Amino acid sequence: MNRHNPPKPLHRRAFLSYGTCFAALAIQTKPVFADLRLGSSKRLATLSDGYLVLPPEMVFGAMPQNELIELLAHHQADLTKYEPSCNVVLYRDDENTVLFDVGAGPDFMPTSGQLPETLGAIGVSPDDVTQVVFTHAHPDHIWGVLDDFDDPLFPNATYHFGRTEWDYWWNPATVDSIGADRASFAVGAKRRMEAIEDRVEFVDDGQEILPGIAARASFGHTPGHMAFEIRDGSDAVMIVGDAISNPHVAFERPDWHSGTDQEPDTAATTRKLLLDQIAHEQMKVIGFHLPDSGIGRVERNGSTYRFIGEPS
């Protein structure tokens, strides 16, 4: 990957910048839910990309229904709809401006794809982003990497991608093996990966991608899903992406299979390992689809776990 992308025409970037500024005035969701500081120089914020509208049976259909209804009723959760928020993580230190995932872009769902507006609302230009780190390549995490002209939205960024995840979506056989209902996921991921191919750096389990930021294999939701640990002294945060994807079932019954996981058995094992580590080490957790800020902590509750959200 030694080729370099040609420079973008200035008029396109200027046009998008003006559009972002105007759109930010009309944004309907809170652009910054919560901020965290690690040490003296590391700062994290969660930014809204909007939310998804999914059929509840897509997530909960394979679970034991009587127990599920009781569990969701206890949490006052509505089984008739499922509209998870989408929380993109912005990390900044003295040298780097990093996004963990980039949202859905304009082509997935009308309720998502708001990241350019939220960045504009806090005065961050796509040109400012130095690194983009992907947890995985589902549409709501990677489709936002392209702008309205199908050019990379973050022209100055290096893109960090789990090697196993990249190989899975890059494989031409994936579109035929993933299932008809997700074939568009494979086509869309490959198209976006081709657009950023020249700027990708591969990541393996345990590898430090920036000082204090290490990759953590969390396979199952997708075959190469990655979480990321950010540490500064005794302070630590785990960015879990979709490895832990809701605030009730995933914590109380991490062994139950979710319909959104591509490898359900592996995903269940991953959830239990992550929850055990996060609770034991008293780390903060940030989940892409966890509610409100997406930020919270994990408490062990007997043989299960409990999510305690950070006030937004």
Side-chain angles (χ1 to χ4, degrees):
M1 296 185 180
N2 296 318
R3 303 186 308 276
H4 294 284
N5 290 332
K8 291 178 178 295
L10 179 60
H11 69 279
R12 290 189 176 189
R13 181 60 55 198
F15 178 84
L16 288 173
S17 297
Y18 282 119
T20 295
C21 290
F22 284 116
L25 298 176
I27 193 166
Q28 298 299 310
T29 56
K30 186 178 177 183
V32 182
F33 283 121
D35 293 287
L36 282 177
R37 283 189 175 270
L38 274 72
S40 60
S41 63
K42 293 185 171 83
R43 295 165 291 154
L44 295 103
T46 51
L47 311 180
S48 176
D49 191 54
Y51 63 96
L52 303 182
V53 179
L54 302 176
E57 61 271 17
M58 176 181 175
V59 181
F60 303 121
M63 299 176 183
Q65 293 301 297
N66 289 338
E67 293 178 66
L68 173 68
I69 291 169
E70 182 178 342
L71 189 157
L72 293 180
H74 174 73
H75 288 276
Q76 298 181 321
D78 187 351
L79 188 57
T80 66
K81 66 178 183 179
Y82 190 64
E83 298 180 351
S85 58
C86 298
N87 303 304
V88 173
V89 178
L90 173 68
Y91 166 92
R92 287 178 283 188
D93 59 24
D94 293 337
E95 298 180 5
N96 302 289
T97 297
V98 183
L99 288 174
F100 288 84
D101 296 326
V102 292
D107 299 327
F108 187 51
M109 286 189 183
T111 56
S112 62
Q114 296 179 0
L115 181 62
E117 288 77 17
T118 57
L119 287 170
I122 61 170
V124 176
S125 165
D127 294 349
D128 298 332
V129 176
T130 59
Q131 321 274 339
V132 171
V133 182
F134 292 107
T135 62
H136 64 295
H138 276 169
D140 49 327
H141 296 257
I142 192 176
W143 282 19
V145 79
L146 298 183
D147 64 23
D148 291 339
F149 298 99
D150 279 347
D151 291 327
L153 179 60
F154 308 101
N156 301 319
T158 298
Y159 299 90
H160 299 274
F161 223 113
R163 190 183 306 271
T164 300
E165 184 76 354
W166 178 278
D167 289 345
Y168 173 76
W169 296 100
W170 194 260
N171 187 340
T174 294
V175 70
D176 296 318
S177 63
I178 196 172
D181 58 334
R182 299 190 187 193
S184 64
F185 290 14
V187 173
K190 183 70 176 295
R191 182 164 74 86
R192 287 155 179 86
M193 291 160 66
E194 288 172 342
I196 62 173
E197 179 186 5
D198 294 342
R199 293 181 176 270
V200 166
E201 293 186 0
F202 294 124
V203 178
D204 295 308
D205 184 29
Q207 181 178 339
E208 193 173 60
I209 59 173
L210 288 171
I213 303 179
R216 165 74 183 274
S218 49
F219 301 169
H221 180 70
T222 59
H225 187 286
M226 283 286 189
F228 294 89
E229 295 183 29
I230 304 178
R231 294 185 177 271
D232 191 298
S234 60
D235 293 335
V237 176
M238 182 79 79
I239 297 173
V240 298
D242 283 6
I244 304 171
S245 59
N246 61 61
H248 29 67
V249 177
F251 288 82
E252 293 192 30
R253 293 306 304 263
D255 55 315
W256 284 359
H257 287 183
S258 169
T260 61
D261 293 333
Q262 291 184 223
E263 299 177 343
D265 287 331
T266 303
T269 299
T270 290
R271 273 192 295 276
K272 289 183 280 188
L273 290 172
L274 284 173
L275 288 167
D276 184 66
Q277 178 187 351
I278 294 165
H280 177 73
E281 298 185 14
Q282 298 184 339
M283 305 170 69
K284 289 287 179 68
V285 60
I286 305 179
F288 192 86
H289 293 305
L290 294 180
D292 299 323
S293 68
I295 302 174
R297 56 190 177 88
V298 178
E299 282 189 352
R300 191 182 296 277
N301 186 24
S303 61
T304 65
Y305 304 87
R306 183 161 68 104
F307 175 69
I308 301 173
E310 189 90 357
S312 58

